[in-house]
Coordinates of all heavy atoms in Angstrom, one line a residue:
T1 N 0.8 -1.2 0.0 CA 0.0 0.0 0.0 C 0.8 1.3 0.0 O 0.3 2.4 -0.2 CB -0.9 0.0 1.2 OG1 -0.1 0.2 2.4 CG2 -1.7 -1.3 1.4
G2 N 2.1 1.1 0.3 CA 3.0 2.3 0.4 C 3.0 2.9 1.8 O 3.7 3.9 2.0
I3 N 2.2 2.4 2.7 CA 2.2 3.0 4.1 C 3.2 2.1 4.9 O 2.8 1.0 5.4 CB 0.8 3.0 4.7 CG1 -0.1 3.8 3.8 CG2 0.8 3.5 6.1 CD1 -1.5 4.0 4.4
M4 N 4.4 2.5 5.0 CA 5.5 1.7 5.6 C 6.0 2.3 6.9 O 6.9 1.7 7.5 CB 6.6 1.5 4.6 CG 6.2 0.8 3.4 SD 7.5 0.6 2.1 CE 7.4 2.2 1.3
A5 N 5.4 3.4 7.4 CA 5.8 4.0 8.6 C 4.7 5.0 9.0 O 3.7 5.2 8.2 CB 7.2 4.7 8.6
A6 N 4.8 5.7 10.1 CA 3.8 6.7 10.5 C 4.1 8.0 9.8 O 5.2 8.4 9.7 CB 3.8 6.8 12.0
H7 N 3.0 8.7 9.4 CA 3.1 10.0 8.9 C 4.0 10.1 7.6 O 4.7 11.1 7.4 CB 3.6 11.0 9.9 CG 2.7 11.2 11.1 ND1 1.4 11.5 11.0 CD2 3.0 11.1 12.4 CE1 0.8 11.6 12.2 NE2 1.8 11.3 13.1
T8 N 4.0 9.0 6.8 CA 4.8 9.0 5.6 C 4.0 8.9 4.4 O 4.5 9.1 3.3 CB 5.8 7.9 5.6 OG1 5.1 6.6 5.8 CG2 6.8 8.0 6.8
A9 N 2.7 8.7 4.5 CA 1.9 8.6 3.3 C 0.4 8.7 3.8 O 0.1 9.2 4.8 CB 2.1 7.2 2.7
G10 N -0.5 8.3 2.9 CA -1.9 8.2 3.2 C -2.5 7.0 2.4 O -1.8 6.6 1.4
L11 N -3.6 6.5 2.8 CA -4.2 5.4 2.1 C -4.6 5.8 0.7 O -5.4 6.8 0.6 CB -5.4 4.8 2.9 CG -5.9 3.5 2.4 CD1 -4.9 2.4 2.5 CD2 -7.2 3.1 3.2
R12 N -4.2 5.1 -0.3 CA -4.5 5.5 -1.7 C -6.0 5.1 -2.0 O -6.4 4.0 -1.6 CB -3.6 4.8 -2.6 CG -2.1 5.2 -2.4 CD -1.2 4.3 -3.3 NE 0.2 4.6 -3.2 CZ 1.1 4.0 -3.9 NH1 0.9 3.1 -4.7 NH2 2.4 4.4 -3.7
V13 N -6.6 5.9 -2.7 CA -8.0 5.6 -3.1 C -8.1 4.4 -4.1 O -9.1 3.8 -4.3 CB -8.7 6.8 -3.7 CG1 -8.9 7.9 -2.7 CG2 -8.0 7.4 -5.0
G14 N -6.9 4.1 -4.6 CA -6.9 2.9 -5.5 C -7.0 1.6 -4.7 O -7.3 0.5 -5.3
E15 N -6.7 1.6 -3.4 CA -6.9 0.4 -2.6 C -8.4 0.2 -2.4 O -9.2 1.1 -2.2 CB -6.2 0.6 -1.2 CG -4.7 0.7 -1.3 CD -4.1 -0.6 -1.7 OE1 -4.7 -1.7 -1.5 OE2 -2.9 -0.6 -2.1
T16 N -8.8 -1.1 -2.3 CA -10.2 -1.4 -2.0 C -10.2 -1.8 -0.5 O -9.5 -2.7 0.0 CB -10.6 -2.7 -2.8 OG1 -10.7 -2.3 -4.2 CG2 -12.1 -3.1 -2.4
T17 N -11.0 -1.1 0.3 CA -11.0 -1.3 1.7 C -12.2 -2.2 2.1 O -13.1 -2.5 1.3 CB -11.2 0.0 2.5 OG1 -12.5 0.5 2.2 CG2 -10.2 1.1 2.1
I18 N -12.1 -2.7 3.3 CA -13.2 -3.5 3.8 C -14.5 -2.7 3.7 O -15.6 -3.3 3.4 CB -13.0 -4.0 5.2 CG1 -11.7 -4.7 5.4 CG2 -14.2 -5.0 5.7 CD1 -11.5 -5.3 6.8
A19 N -14.5 -1.5 4.1 CA -15.7 -0.6 4.1 C -16.3 -0.6 2.7 O -17.5 -0.7 2.5 CB -15.3 0.8 4.6
E20 N -15.5 -0.4 1.7 CA -15.9 -0.3 0.3 C -16.5 -1.7 -0.1 O -17.6 -1.7 -0.8 CB -14.8 0.1 -0.7 CG -14.4 1.6 -0.5 CD -13.1 1.9 -1.1 OE1 -12.2 1.0 -1.3 OE2 -13.0 3.1 -1.6
A21 N -15.9 -2.7 0.3 CA -16.4 -4.1 -0.1 C -17.7 -4.3 0.5 O -18.7 -4.8 -0.2 CB -15.4 -5.1 0.4
L22 N -17.9 -4.0 1.8 CA -19.1 -4.3 2.5 C -20.2 -3.3 2.1 O -21.4 -3.6 2.0 CB -19.0 -4.2 4.0 CG -18.7 -5.6 4.6 CD1 -17.4 -6.2 4.1 CD2 -18.6 -5.5 6.1
K23 N -19.8 -2.1 1.7 CA -20.8 -1.1 1.2 C -21.5 -1.6 0.0 O -22.7 -1.4 -0.3 CB -20.2 0.2 1.0 CG -21.1 1.4 0.8 CD -20.4 2.7 0.9 CE -21.4 3.9 0.7 NZ -20.7 5.2 0.8
S24 N -20.7 -2.3 -0.9 CA -21.2 -2.9 -2.1 C -22.2 -4.0 -1.8 O -22.9 -4.4 -2.7 CB -20.1 -3.3 -3.0 OG -19.5 -4.6 -2.5
R25 N -22.1 -4.5 -0.6 CA -23.0 -5.6 -0.2 C -24.2 -5.1 0.6 O -24.9 -5.9 1.2 CB -22.3 -6.7 0.6 CG -21.1 -7.3 -0.2 CD -21.6 -8.1 -1.4 NE -22.5 -9.2 -0.9 CZ -23.3 -9.9 -1.7 NH1 -23.3 -9.7 -3.0 NH2 -24.0 -10.9 -1.3
G26 N -24.4 -3.8 0.6 CA -25.6 -3.2 1.3 C -25.3 -2.8 2.8 O -26.3 -2.5 3.5
Y27 N -24.1 -2.9 3.2 CA -23.8 -2.5 4.6 C -23.8 -1.0 4.8 O -23.4 -0.3 3.9 CB -22.5 -3.1 5.0 CG -22.4 -4.5 5.4 CD1 -22.6 -5.5 4.5 CD2 -22.2 -4.9 6.8 CE1 -22.6 -6.9 4.9 CE2 -22.1 -6.2 7.2 CZ -22.4 -7.2 6.2 OH -22.3 -8.5 6.6
R28 N -24.1 -0.6 6.0 CA -23.9 0.8 6.4 C -22.5 0.8 7.1 O -22.3 -0.1 7.9 CB -25.0 1.3 7.4 CG -24.8 2.7 7.9 CD -25.2 3.7 6.9 NE -25.2 5.0 7.5 CZ -25.3 6.2 6.9 NH1 -25.3 6.2 5.6 NH2 -25.3 7.3 7.5
T29 N -21.6 1.7 6.9 CA -20.3 1.7 7.4 C -19.9 2.8 8.2 O -20.3 4.0 7.9 CB -19.3 1.6 6.2 OG1 -19.5 2.7 5.3 CG2 -19.5 0.3 5.3
G30 N -19.2 2.6 9.3 CA -18.8 3.7 10.2 C -17.4 3.5 10.7 O -17.0 2.4 11.1
F31 N -16.7 4.6 10.8 CA -15.3 4.6 11.4 C -15.3 5.5 12.6 O -15.8 6.7 12.5 CB -14.3 5.1 10.4 CG -12.9 5.1 11.0 CD1 -12.1 4.0 11.1 CD2 -12.4 6.3 11.6 CE1 -10.9 4.0 11.7 CE2 -11.2 6.3 12.3 CZ -10.4 5.2 12.3
F32 N -14.6 5.1 13.7 CA -14.6 5.9 14.9 C -13.2 5.7 15.6 O -12.8 4.6 15.9 CB -15.7 5.3 15.9 CG -17.0 5.3 15.3 CD1 -17.5 4.1 14.6 CD2 -17.8 6.4 15.3 CE1 -18.7 4.1 14.0 CE2 -19.1 6.4 14.6 CZ -19.5 5.2 14.0
G33 N -12.5 6.8 15.8 CA -11.3 6.8 16.5 C -10.1 7.3 15.7 O -10.1 8.2 14.9
K34 N -8.9 6.6 16.0 CA -7.6 7.1 15.4 C -7.5 6.5 14.0 O -7.3 5.3 13.8 CB -6.5 6.6 16.3 CG -5.1 7.0 15.7 CD -4.0 6.4 16.6 CE -2.6 6.7 16.1 NZ -1.6 6.1 16.9
W35 N -7.5 7.3 13.0 CA -7.3 6.9 11.6 C -5.9 6.6 11.2 O -5.5 5.5 10.9 CB -7.9 8.0 10.7 CG -7.9 7.7 9.2 CD1 -7.2 8.5 8.3 CD2 -8.6 6.7 8.5 NE1 -7.4 8.0 7.0 CE2 -8.2 6.9 7.1 CE3 -9.4 5.7 8.8 CZ2 -8.7 6.1 6.1 CZ3 -9.9 4.8 7.8 CH2 -9.6 5.1 6.5
H36 N -5.1 7.6 11.2 CA -3.6 7.5 11.0 C -3.2 6.9 9.7 O -2.2 6.3 9.6 CB -3.0 6.7 12.2 CG -1.6 7.3 12.6 ND1 -0.8 6.7 13.5 CD2 -1.0 8.5 12.2 CE1 0.3 7.4 13.7 NE2 0.1 8.5 12.9
M37 N -4.0 7.1 8.7 CA -3.6 6.7 7.3 C -3.8 7.9 6.4 O -4.3 7.8 5.2 CB -4.4 5.5 6.9 CG -4.1 4.2 7.6 SD -5.1 2.8 7.0 CE -6.7 3.3 7.7
G38 N -3.5 9.1 6.9 CA -3.7 10.3 6.1 C -4.4 11.3 7.0 O -5.1 11.0 8.0
W39 N -4.3 12.6 6.6 CA -4.9 13.7 7.4 C -6.5 13.6 7.3 O -7.0 13.2 6.3 CB -4.5 15.0 6.9 CG -3.0 15.2 6.8 CD1 -2.2 15.5 5.7 CD2 -2.0 14.9 7.9 NE1 -0.9 15.5 6.0 CE2 -0.7 15.2 7.3 CE3 -2.1 14.5 9.2 CZ2 0.5 15.0 8.0 CZ3 -0.9 14.3 9.9 CH2 0.3 14.6 9.4
V40 N -7.2 14.1 8.3 CA -8.6 14.1 8.3 C -9.2 15.5 8.2 O -10.4 15.7 8.0 CB -9.2 13.4 9.5 CG1 -8.8 11.9 9.6 CG2 -8.9 14.1 10.8
K41 N -8.3 16.5 8.2 CA -8.7 17.9 8.0 C -8.1 18.4 6.7 O -6.9 18.3 6.5 CB -8.2 18.8 9.2 CG -8.8 18.4 10.5 CD -8.3 19.3 11.6 CE -8.9 19.0 13.0 NZ -8.3 19.9 14.0
P42 N -8.9 18.9 5.8 CA -8.4 19.3 4.4 C -7.4 20.4 4.5 O -6.5 20.5 3.6 CB -9.7 19.6 3.7 CG -10.7 19.9 4.7 CD -10.4 19.0 5.9
E43 N -7.5 21.3 5.5 CA -6.6 22.4 5.6 C -5.3 22.1 6.3 O -4.4 22.9 6.3 CB -7.3 23.6 6.2 CG -7.5 23.5 7.8 CD -8.7 22.6 8.2 OE1 -9.3 22.0 7.3 OE2 -8.9 22.5 9.4
Q44 N -5.2 20.9 6.8 CA -4.0 20.5 7.6 C -2.9 20.3 6.6 O -3.0 19.5 5.6 CB -4.3 19.2 8.4 CG -3.3 18.8 9.4 CD -3.7 17.7 10.3 OE1 -4.7 17.0 10.0 NE2 -3.1 17.5 11.4
L45 N -1.8 20.9 6.9 CA -0.6 20.8 6.0 C 0.6 20.2 6.8 O 0.7 20.4 8.0 CB -0.2 22.1 5.5 CG -1.2 22.8 4.6 CD1 -0.7 24.2 4.2 CD2 -1.6 22.0 3.4

């Protein structure tokens, strides 16, 4: 995935996540807590 350490990358949209897989099967999906695979604020630099 290219995420080989902390704060060195972000999860690429080209990856298929469990959330995307289950959403395609009719699931409602939710994330809660520490993400740490990219910034969560768009203005954060």
Side-chain angles (χ1 to χ4, degrees):
T1 69
I3 299 182
M4 297 180 279
H7 297 307
T8 57
L11 191 62
R12 299 174 179 180
V13 294
E15 293 289 342
T16 298
T17 67
I18 307 182
E20 290 168 328
L22 268 60
K23 194 170 181 177
S24 73
R25 300 294 298 166
Y27 278 70
R28 179 77 172 168
T29 59
F31 178 86
F32 308 90
K34 179 183 176 182
W35 178 245
H36 219 187
M37 292 181 291
W39 311 124
V40 301
K41 296 179 179 179
E43 73 280 5
Q44 191 172 14
L45 299 176

